[in-house]
Amino acid sequence: MGILLNAVLLVAGLVILVKSADIFVNSSVAIAKHLKIPKVVIGLTIVAMGTSAPEVVISVSAALGGSSQLAMANVTGSNIFNMLFIVGLCTFIFPFYVKLNRISRDFWVCLLSTAVVLVLMIIFADYIPQWGGALLLVGFSVYMFLLIRKTIKDKANFPEEPVENDDKKPKPLWLSIILTLIGAGLIVGGGQLTVFSASNIAEALGVSERIIGLTIVSMGTSLPELVTTLVACKKNEGEFALGFIIGSCLFNLMFVLGIAGVITPLSFDASMLFDMAMLTATTALFFLFCKTGGRLARAEGLIMVVLFTAYMTFVLINPAAA
């Protein structure tokens, strides 16, 4: 199968993933409203996980297919893209103030979980054992339980998510269920198509799955986060956008990588150790910018975008750099 055809299939797979994730999220929210599930719980679970559904499917499919490097590169690349490019771009366009006390715990959990993965990679040198994936899943379960319990007790301290067309009559329950199932099916199909075509392109071009995962796949699967964050910032919901990005990064690292790691040991080389170190430094820088002055300024946003561009340039020019 030629490179051009695989490129077309890759784009088609990413489009299917993004659109089906949108269908899945909207329909799931409609079901939750019919069942009178609290809105805050919807935001913490269905919306956050739904927008990360592409990463879940691609990483799990890659792990099942023996392409654990693609799974790790997808998660690492998505989180770097989220924190540096998405937040940087949105901050450059719409600078906003940050009430860090509301999300400081989430920041620390994100930084800690990233550091844990980095330490596991350093200790085991070329793979993360399956118990490491299980450790991430346990940590994610505990974090979500505590977060949801606290949020239900104190809804006033949780920023409401921006909702479009909230005044429209919701779809019937039966239709929402059907659309949710269709969305879930398309997510699986789009993920399989993306992994298949991305692996073929990497093999045909002689580049590693790491490069494909860090660039095309990770950026493509992060499109839902990009759109959601831009919309939120445009509506002066910068604090929501910040919490959404942190939650998405946490979900990617702890749940997505955890699931993939339980399925199969996550193999990596020195270049991917460099990528995880970059992600750890990025998370720390992100935290530092939010702490200084109580706001994310336009200059800080520009720095983040420039750093992302420099990192991607370095990766593409030096694909085997450690």
Side-chain angles (χ1 to χ4, degrees):
M1 190 178 292
I3 294 179
L4 181 58
L5 178 56
N6 276 298
V8 172
L9 292 177
L10 177 62
V11 173
L14 290 173
V15 171
I16 291 172
L17 276 171
V18 173
K19 295 303 295 182
S20 56
D22 186 52
I23 294 172
F24 176 79
V25 170
N26 291 338
S27 302
S28 298
V29 169
I31 292 175
K33 287 181 178 178
H34 278 290
L35 299 179
K36 301 188 183 304
I37 297 174
K39 180 181 178 182
V40 65
V41 177
I42 298 173
L44 286 170
T45 54
I46 297 173
V47 175
M49 296 179 186
T51 54
S52 291
E55 284 91 345
V56 176
V57 175
I58 285 180
S59 295
V60 170
S61 299
L64 289 172
S67 301
S68 60
Q69 285 203 15
L70 179 59
M72 288 196 67
N74 179 34
V75 168
T76 307
S78 292
N79 281 12
I80 292 175
F81 185 74
N82 288 348
M83 290 186 182
L84 285 184
F85 184 79
I86 294 180
V87 175
L89 178 64
C90 292
T91 301
F92 182 74
I93 300 174
F94 309 105
F96 57 89
Y97 287 92
V98 179
K99 295 180 180 177
L100 196 58
N101 61 306
R102 294 185 178 180
I103 51 177
S104 60
R105 181 182 64 178
D106 309 297
F107 255 127
W108 283 113
V109 172
C110 190
L111 181 59
L112 177 62
S113 58
T114 308
V116 166
V117 175
L118 178 61
V119 169
L120 288 174
M121 293 176 73
I122 293 173
I123 292 175
F124 291 96
D126 57 2
Y127 78 101
I128 295 178
Q130 287 170 292
W131 65 260
L135 179 65
L136 290 173
L137 284 179
V138 171
F140 176 77
S141 300
V142 172
Y143 167 75
M144 286 301 297
F145 171 76
L146 294 176
L147 182 61
I148 292 175
R149 187 179 68 173
K150 179 181 182 300
T151 304
I152 292 177
K153 286 182 178 180
D154 189 14
K155 293 182 181 180
N157 288 334
F158 187 82
E160 289 292 326
E161 62 191 70
V163 179
E164 295 185 1
N165 300 323
D166 196 44
D167 56 331
K168 288 188 176 181
K169 185 178 179 180
K171 297 182 178 67
L173 179 59
W174 65 269
L175 180 57
S176 298
I177 293 174
I178 292 175
L179 289 175
T180 300
L181 294 175
I182 292 175
L186 289 174
I187 286 174
V188 174
Q192 293 283 0
L193 183 60
T194 301
V195 171
F196 172 76
S197 54
S199 299
N200 286 342
I201 291 174
E203 182 179 352
L205 295 177
V207 299
S208 66
E209 292 178 345
R210 167 189 173 242
I211 298 299
I212 297 295
L214 285 173
T215 55
I216 300 173
V217 175
S218 65
M219 294 179 191
T221 56
S222 291
L223 289 178
E225 285 89 344
L226 175 60
V227 173
T228 301
T229 306
L230 281 171
V231 171
C233 289
K234 185 178 180 181
K235 294 184 175 182
N236 295 319
E237 294 285 355
E239 193 174 344
F240 163 79
L242 192 62
F244 172 75
I245 287 294
I246 296 171
S248 179
C249 289
L250 271 169
F251 185 76
N252 288 343
L253 193 71
M254 299 178 75
F255 183 80
V256 177
L257 203 58
I259 287 288
V262 168
I263 293 173
T264 182
L266 298 171
S267 61
F268 59 88
D269 54 24
S271 59
M272 296 193 72
L273 183 60
F274 167 76
D275 298 326
M276 188 55 66
M278 176 64 184
L279 176 57
T280 306
T282 294
T283 307
L285 179 66
F286 187 24
F287 196 3
L288 178 64
F289 278 168
C290 289
K291 284 182 69 68
T292 55
R295 71 190 298 266
L296 280 172
R298 182 169 280 113
E300 291 169 331
L302 180 60
I303 291 173
M304 295 167 82
V305 173
V306 169
L307 283 176
F308 175 78
T309 304
Y311 165 70
M312 291 307 303
T313 302
F314 178 78
V315 166
L316 293 174
I317 294 177
N318 305 278

